[in-house]
Amino acid sequence: MLSPSLPTFLGSENSSDPAGVRTPYAFLGIPYGPSYEAWELSAAAGSADKVRAAAVDHAYTRFLTHWNFDIGEPQFEDGKPNLTDLGNIAANVRDPESIVADAAAILGPLVKAGVVPVVIGGMDSVPPMLVAPFDGQEEINILQIDAHIDFRDEINGRRDGFSSPMRRIRDYACVRDLVHVGARSIGSARREEVEAALRAGNRIVTALDVHQDGAKAVADSLDLSRRWVVSLDCDGMDPSVAPGVGAIEPGGLTFIQTAILLNHLARNNRLAGIVFTEYQPAKDVGDATAHVITRLILGIVGLQRQPQAIQPQS
């Protein structure tokens, strides 16, 4: 079910037993989610390994005890990363639909134990897999950073593809606030999806809103009474920052704007899990997108060193 990967992320300890994780964070690759077409099964399949390699290539693995100016202190002063690398969920090309059950078997024990999953996903049908284990466990909020709101109910009869993750996540009883950040240009959403999202109580913050009002204003508006699961589609960031995506769309969030949002949740101990999706290594430029993902993770695990225990659902 799990395929180990070397090197591990940041040289962390590795494990194939999610129930045995004793660190605050667990790093996991999920190569793909439910697909519309066969190409989606391979487009982002190698993303987690590219992120692992980026940590080595940019010397973060060697410099663990060094000062990180993004967090204002050494990254890991004792030289020990506060995460465990579980490797990647093994792809089963003969039964790709089994990925959902396989993800549940790995993520369920992590969430129940209060471990924060850091998932490097495939295409954007992966996020519901991260949210599912919280249902019946804890009320959570969702922060989606994406160029698209992904609120289609179905496409060609498929309700769990990469245009529908936020619609499926909204179906979970544990989900309270759902905030879309970074929407811009034209995508799969029509009037009916935008109106459905607003009727469901979602809030849409466009990329233009972020540029005009500032990321800090958006961060300060997030309700901190519950923890947040973040779904970060890499095309939510500007292609000058994250070029390794399938849908290049100018005007996205900068690295700093994205970090402000994530670091705000981490600094306030409100991050329950995060999934990075739609990073397509074959379309990257100098592994820039893998580097950005690595930097964002370093900020999260450095600012929220001991995540808050799970808050039982009322």
Side-chain angles (χ1 to χ4, degrees), residues 240-258:
S240 63
V241 174
V245 298
I248 292 289
E249 197 62 72
L253 273 62
T254 67
F255 171 81
I256 295 298
Q257 288 170 333
T258 306

Side-chain angles (χ1 to χ4, degrees), residues 29-163:
I30 300 181
Y32 54 77
S35 64
Y36 299 118
E37 300 180 39
W39 66 266
E40 299 167 42
L41 303 180
S42 60
S47 56
D49 285 339
K50 277 292 186 180
V51 172
R52 293 180 177 101
V56 175
D57 293 343
H58 292 276
Y60 298 134
T61 300
R62 289 193 293 119
F63 293 162
L64 289 181
T65 61
H66 291 207
W67 196 273
N68 183 348
F69 286 90
D70 293 344
I71 64 176
E73 59 185 278
Q75 184 66 46
F76 299 114
E77 201 147 21
D78 62 0
K80 298 177 181 178
N82 58 352
L83 53 82
T84 299
D85 194 328
L86 291 172
N88 307 319
I89 292 180
N92 184 349
V93 294
R94 292 182 176 83
D95 183 16
E97 299 296 323
S98 66
I99 195 80
V100 177
D102 289 348
I106 302 302
L107 292 169
L110 297 176
V111 169
K112 189 173 183 179
V115 176
V116 174
V118 177
V119 177
I120 311 298
M123 300 297 284
D124 215 3
S125 54
V126 171
M129 300 184 203
L130 176 55
V131 174
F134 288 91
D135 207 34
Q137 294 283 339
E138 178 181 7
E139 291 184 347
I140 55 171
N141 296 328
I142 305 295
L143 173 63
Q144 179 207 27
I145 299 175
D146 199 326
H148 317 99
I149 64 169
D150 292 342
F151 215 70
R152 288 289 292 263
D153 188 45
E154 59 84 28
I155 289 183
N156 296 328
R158 180 119 215 184
R159 303 181 72 232
D160 55 3
F162 63 68
S163 291

